[in-house]
């Protein structure tokens, strides 16, 4: 596969106003040139090793495998990456690229705040001022991440338009970039948006899959990742796409169940082709093209579009898409904590839930890898409320009465 | 030569009936053209004023079909050309060809779709030719020279020039950086409408000699919103603001 594709089958492209065409062209050229420069690759690898803590482990999940009684399960612990999720791989790569391009300022969108935290951390290290756009609703839901972003020195700007969530933060970041592209890099957080973002994000995230190539001293039969926009999935899977014996699974957010507004499933018959936020792909939108609301217990999967390359791979049948509900994700969270001592991010727990189902259909001499894209510390306000409501509320009430400063 | 104004309004905002009233008021005030925006849930090239209006319009039940009906009504009733502005996904989701045909049937004098640029347009420019509906390229002063030549080479009936590197809604200063582009386009056969951030009669006066028509958008939406929220008639507010801008 080439580094720069622009289109993936029918999907992808660069659907932005004339004013954003030159900065995207500039980025396309700079990114291709950087990937061909050993010095840049060296900088990226150094950042990965010294700051992110790469390589992340590939854990043989022996207890879980035994209890499930199917395939041998391995877990790629991306959640051990510094800042808690795979998002930092892309943030680091793009921040280094921005610096190389002579950009003086970084902007980014964030939903749950994971990409915002990763971007703010990378910018702190590289001494780049950074502005994070975040929906007002997400700021309310994910306050701890706002706190961390600000501690890293980022300015968090509340977005009050539209549904006040991730897609609106993306719109707002594009607006900022439209006015400031000369000195500003827009550090987009998933494998979507106008080209070259889907290509660029895949390349930076592919460090996940490349490490697995070194780590897996066994035959891989199946790989499972959760899919929000698609950055952890494509980075995990891309290096293996031509190994046709490997079955690949993408797991979307089944949310509360069927019906518009209850989930973020785009790859079943619910998603329809559209051109939104600069790229052509499958989206949840109505027959007029108006974007529909989505729901997931995990903010990172709660988005109406899917990266164009994954949409194409899904349509071609190379990747099989499935879904996990809010409840199944919570069950998987508990299961892997109990059996393996590993706490999945709520997003990754969707991959865990589907993997449990898939592993059961496989035999003990087969191997399955789950990408645990993030760890679950960030979700404590959500998981504890869902799993331990009474006690958690008690705790919060006591906490809120405590005197912090006198 | 008298000053020509392209006045922008949003279908279904503040509500369906009031958007028709707004169009009537704009025409009465002396606007030469109307630009009707079909609301889209994610209008990323628009500023907060228009975005908010689009959201409210959709919440109050505006649809593409209702927008087209409104356009047809305006076209039949008011003797004034109406351009249709929207985003690519509205056309793409409904089918490019059928949407261009429907726009034509509703009386659209041209299509303004900022996120479908020539060459990445899903066949829009070819359809415009085939069905005889002008498609207006939207450009900004930062456009590279070769790209500008390419667009001029299309010999469009109109070019829409957004006067600054940003989004709709805030005040634009007029100086060499944007008027230069207009003067470059002036000798061409292609007509030029220019706008973004035009809110005052004084700006209209400065801009008018450099283009064929001055576009006013957010200022109208703001005036209509204010009137509507105070229980006044959108029609009067729309008429008054155009009269003011033409002073
Ligand atoms: C831990 C984690 N996993 C997955 C995602 C989903 O994004 P993507 O599909 O781009 O990997 C997010 C997004 O915030 C995340 O934080």
């Amino acid at each position: 596969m080439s580094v720069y594709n622009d289109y993936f089958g029918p999907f992808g492209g660069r659907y932005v106003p004339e004013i954003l065409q030159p900065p995207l062209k500039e980025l396309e050229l700079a990114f291709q040139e950087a990937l061909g420069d050993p010095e840049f690759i060296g900088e990226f690898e150094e950042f990965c090793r010294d700051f992110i803590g790469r390589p992340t482990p590939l854990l043989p999940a022996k207890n879980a495998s035994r209890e499930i009684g199917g395939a041998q399960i391995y877990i790629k612990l991306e959640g051990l990456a510094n800042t808690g999720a795979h998002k930092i791989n892309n943030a680091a790569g793009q921040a280094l690229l921005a610096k190389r391009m002579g950009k003086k300022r970084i902007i980014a969108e964030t939903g749950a705040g994971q990409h915002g935290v990763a971007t703010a951390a990378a910018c702190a290290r590289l001494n780049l001022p950074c502005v994070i756009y975040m929906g007002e609703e997400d700021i309310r839901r994910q306050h701890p991440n706002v706190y961390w972003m600000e501690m890293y020195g980022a300015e968090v700007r509340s977005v009050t338009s539209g549904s006040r969530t991730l897609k609106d933060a993306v719109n707002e970041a594009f607006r900022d970039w439209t006015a400031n592209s000369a000195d500003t890099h827009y550090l987009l957080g998933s494998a979507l948006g106008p080209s070259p973002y889907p290509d660029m994000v895949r390349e930076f995230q592919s460090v996940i899959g490349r490490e697995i190539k070194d780590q897996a001293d066994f035959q891989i039969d199946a790989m499972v990742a959760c899919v929000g926009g698609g950055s952890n999935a494509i980075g995990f899977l891309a290096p293996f796409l031509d190994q046709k014996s490997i079955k690949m699974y993408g797991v979307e957010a089944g949310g509360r169940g069927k019906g518009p507004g209850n989930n973020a499933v785009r790859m079943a018959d619910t998603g329809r082709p559209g051109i939104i936020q600069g790229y052509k792909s499958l989206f949840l939108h109505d027959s007029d093209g108006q974007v529909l609301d989505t729901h997931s217990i995990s903010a990172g999967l709660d988005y109406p579009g899917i990266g164009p390359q994954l949409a194409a791979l899904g349509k071609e049948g190379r990747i099989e898409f499935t879904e996990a509900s809010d409840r199944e994700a919570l069950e998987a969270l508990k299961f892997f904590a109990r059996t393996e001592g590993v706490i999945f991010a709520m997003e990754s727990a969707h991959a865990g839930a589907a993997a449990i189902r898939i592993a059961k259909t496989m035999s003990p001499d087969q191997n399955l890898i789950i990408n645990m894209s993030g760890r679950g510390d960030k979700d404590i306000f959500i998981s504890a409320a869902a799993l331990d409501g009474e006690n958690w509320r008690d705790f919060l009430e006591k906490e809120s009465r405590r005197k912090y400063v006198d | 030569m008298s000053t020509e104004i392209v006045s922008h309004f949003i279908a279904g905002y503040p509500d369906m009936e009031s958007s028709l009233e707004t169009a009537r008021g704009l025409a009465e005030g002396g606007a030469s053209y109307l630009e009707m925006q079909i609301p889209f849930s994610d209008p990323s090239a628009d500023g907060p004023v228009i975005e908010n209006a689009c959201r409210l319009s959709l919440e109050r039940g505006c649809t593409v079909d209702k927008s087209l009906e409104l356009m047809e009504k305006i076209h039949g009733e008011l003797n004034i050309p109406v351009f249709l502005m929207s985003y690519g996904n509205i056309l793409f989701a409904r089918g490019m060809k059928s949407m261009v045909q429907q726009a034509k049937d509703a009386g659209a004098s041209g299509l303004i779709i900022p996120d479908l640029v020539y060459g990445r347009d899903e066949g829009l420019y070819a359809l415009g030719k085939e069905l005889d509906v002008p498609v207006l390229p939207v450009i900004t002063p930062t456009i590279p020279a070769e790209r500008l030549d390419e667009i001029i080479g299309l010999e469009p009936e109109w070019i829409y020039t957004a006067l600054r590197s940003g989004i709709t809604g805030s005040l634009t200063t007029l100086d060499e950086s944007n008027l230069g582009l207009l003067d470059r386009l002036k000798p061409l056969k292609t007509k030029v409408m220019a706008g973004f951030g035009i809110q005052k009669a004084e700006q209209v006066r400065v801009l008018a000699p450099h283009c064929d028509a001055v576009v006013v958008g957010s200022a109208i939406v703001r005036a209509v919103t204010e009137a509507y929220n105070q229980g006044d008639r959108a029609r009067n507010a729309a008429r008054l603001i155009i009269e003011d801008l033409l002073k």
Side-chain angles (χ1 to χ4, degrees):
Chain A
M1 184 174 40
S2 1
V3 161
Y4 180 63
N5 299 277
D6 189 2
Y7 280 90
F8 307 91
F11 303 129
R14 183 178 294 166
Y15 299 92
V16 297
E18 211 58 70
I19 185 158
L20 280 175
Q21 297 284 341
L24 286 166
K25 187 76 196 171
E26 181 195 5
L27 187 58
E28 170 199 322
L29 297 175
F31 139 70
Q32 291 192 77
E33 189 243 354
L35 284 198
D37 179 356
E39 193 177 315
F40 179 78
I41 298 298
E43 273 175 43
F44 179 62
E45 285 172 352
E46 187 181 303
F47 198 108
C48 283
R49 184 191 65 218
D50 298 347
F51 180 73
I52 303 180
R54 305 208 71 91
T56 57
L58 181 64
L59 173 77
K62 294 200 174 120
N63 303 326
S65 306
R66 202 176 306 115
E67 198 165 316
I68 292 166
Q72 301 308 311
I73 294 173
Y74 292 80
I75 307 173
K76 178 63 170 166
L77 295 177
E78 271 307 287
L80 294 197
N82 197 358
T83 69
H86 70 293
K87 295 280 173 190
I88 187 68
N89 304 327
N90 169 54
Q94 284 196 49
L96 288 166
L97 180 63
K99 197 128 203 176
R100 180 183 167 98
M101 292 169 75
K103 300 291 178 189
K104 301 275 178 280
R105 174 176 175 263
I106 299 288
I107 55 172
E109 83 294 345
T110 198
Q114 285 309 106
H115 174 58
V117 165
T119 301
C123 288
R125 287 202 59 72
L126 297 175
N127 197 20
L128 285 162
C130 117
V131 171
I132 306 289
Y133 287 96
M134 188 167 181
E136 194 180 42
E137 181 61 19
D138 288 332
I139 287 181
R140 186 186 61 72
R141 289 192 290 197
Q142 305 283 341
H143 203 81
N145 275 337
V146 176
Y147 174 78
W148 294 128
M149 285 184 267
E150 287 176 347
M151 177 167 285
Y152 287 129
E155 179 193 340
V156 180
R157 286 195 193 156
S158 172
V159 176
T160 56
S161 54
S163 58
R164 299 162 195 218
T165 59
L166 177 58
K167 77 177 176 66
D168 310 288
V170 173
N171 290 337
E172 211 54 39
F174 271 117
R175 290 192 181 107
D176 182 317
W177 207 37
T178 299
N180 300 306
S181 64
D183 71 344
T184 298
H185 174 67
Y186 175 18
L187 205 163
L188 214 157
S190 193
L192 44 75
S195 72
Y197 284 105
D199 281 310
M200 183 165 64
V201 175
R202 178 197 61 243
E203 290 303 310
F204 290 134
Q205 290 293 2
S206 291
V207 64
I208 305 172
R210 281 198 306 272
E211 280 176 9
I212 294 173
K213 283 206 149 168
D214 287 341
Q215 294 168 321
D217 52 3
F218 50 84
Q219 174 191 305
I220 305 171
D221 298 291
M223 299 177 81
V224 188
C226 67
V227 181
S231 67
N232 88 86
I234 198 71
F236 173 63
L237 298 174
F240 297 95
L241 282 173
D242 51 11
Q243 294 184 29
K244 301 287 185 223
S245 61
I246 301 179
K247 284 213 71 170
M248 297 179 167
Y249 298 89
V251 188
E252 299 183 280
R256 295 183 281 253
K258 301 239 175 290
N262 283 327
N263 56 62
V265 178
R266 301 133 309 178
M267 295 301 293
D269 51 5
T270 42
R272 302 166 44 253
I275 298 176
I276 296 167
Q277 296 196 323
Y279 65 107
K280 194 196 290 186
S281 189
L282 295 170
F283 292 89
L284 296 175
H285 58 150
D286 67 18
S287 54
D288 268 2
Q290 311 293 357
V291 177
L292 297 170
D293 286 339
T294 53
H295 162 81
S296 170
I297 190 169
S298 66
L301 304 186
D302 195 355
Y303 176 78
I306 178 167
Q309 187 172 8
L310 285 176
L313 289 165
K315 284 285 151 203
E316 284 162 27
R318 178 66 191 96
I319 298 180
E320 183 175 326
F321 279 85
T322 175
E323 57 191 78
S325 68
D326 290 350
R327 228 190 28 228
E328 289 172 305
L330 285 166
E331 286 307 314
L333 174 69
K334 288 196 289 190
F335 175 76
F336 287 104
R338 174 170 63 73
T339 55
E340 298 294 339
V342 172
I343 294 184
F344 278 52
M346 205 55 89
E347 291 80 9
S348 323
H350 287 70
I356 294 172
R357 282 199 311 256
I358 294 161
K360 277 188 189 144
T361 68
M362 296 169 67
S363 65
D365 61 349
Q366 291 186 301
N367 301 303
L368 173 152
I369 306 180
I370 306 170
N371 193 32
M372 185 186 89
S373 53
R375 63 173 182 260
D377 317 30
K378 69 175 176 71
D379 298 318
I380 187 162
F381 283 83
I382 294 154
S383 46
L387 296 172
D388 189 26
E390 284 290 294
N391 285 330
W392 184 249
R393 204 183 54 216
D394 263 9
F395 163 71
L396 289 181
E397 275 171 2
K398 282 193 197 115
E399 251 331 76
S400 71
R401 284 194 296 269
R402 205 174 89 192
K403 266 212 184 120
Y404 286 94
V405 206
D406 35 28
Chain B
M1 198 180 84
S2 70
T3 302
E4 305 210 318
I5 286 191
V6 182
S7 50
H8 169 279
F9 70 102
I10 294 153
Y13 182 80
D15 55 43
M16 221 59 219
E17 184 55 28
S18 304
S19 63
L20 174 59
E21 286 288 294
T22 299
R24 286 174 175 145
L26 295 169
E28 286 161 3
S32 303
Y33 308 92
L34 299 178
E35 176 193 352
M36 188 190 87
Q37 178 163 359
I38 297 185
F40 174 48
S41 54
D42 292 75
S44 54
D46 284 300
V49 173
I50 291 180
E51 162 155 45
N52 228 354
C54 288
R55 183 175 55 82
L56 289 170
S57 165
L58 290 170
E59 279 174 14
R60 291 166 188 168
C62 185
T63 62
V64 176
D65 284 336
K66 285 183 190 167
S67 302
L68 290 167
E69 275 164 35
L70 175 68
M71 175 167 259
E72 199 170 337
K73 198 162 191 174
I74 290 168
H75 180 71
E77 176 186 318
L78 306 171
N79 192 19
I80 176 172
V82 193
F83 295 92
L84 189 159
M85 186 268 171
S86 197
Y87 285 82
N89 199 49
I90 298 288
L91 283 75
F92 184 75
R94 306 243 319 180
M96 296 297 297
K97 184 156 187 177
S98 83
M99 199 50 198
V100 174
Q101 183 65 54
Q102 285 179 302
K104 182 190 165 105
D105 295 346
S109 293
L111 302 175
I112 302 164
I113 314 293
D115 57 344
L116 290 181
V117 305
Y118 176 66
R120 297 240 188 209
D121 57 42
E122 295 298 307
L124 176 64
Y125 281 77
L127 282 167
K129 277 231 154 66
E130 182 190 328
L131 301 175
D132 196 25
V133 186
V135 177
L136 284 72
V138 181
I139 66 171
T140 56
T142 52
I143 191 163
E146 325 83 80
R147 180 63 177 169
L148 182 58
D149 290 342
E150 190 178 9
I151 285 171
I152 289 171
L154 298 172
E155 300 188 354
E157 184 174 329
W158 286 93
I159 284 180
Y160 189 119
T161 307
L163 287 175
R164 75 193 165 85
S165 308
I167 46 164
T168 57
S170 50
L171 202 67
T172 297
T173 43
L174 297 170
D175 54 30
E176 183 44 39
S177 73
N178 39 41
L179 296 181
L181 172 64
L182 297 181
D183 294 340
R184 159 89 215 279
L185 298 171
K186 193 79 202 167
L188 305 177
K189 210 172 87 224
T190 292
K191 287 178 281 184
V192 175
M193 56 176 77
F196 263 46
I198 302 302
Q199 303 174 10
K200 296 185 168 151
E202 189 194 318
Q203 291 174 301
V204 174
R205 243 178 286 125
V206 175
L207 195 51
H210 299 268
C211 58
D212 298 281
V214 176
V215 184
V216 184
S218 301
I220 295 170
V221 177
R222 233 177 251 129
V224 166
T225 303
E226 216 161 276
Y228 187 79
N229 291 344
Q230 288 169 4
D232 293 343
R233 292 179 61 203
R235 184 170 182 162
N236 288 341
R239 180 173 51 78
L240 285 174
I241 186 161
I242 300 298
E243 285 173 358
D244 274 350
L245 288 167
L246 283 170
K247 259 186 198 144

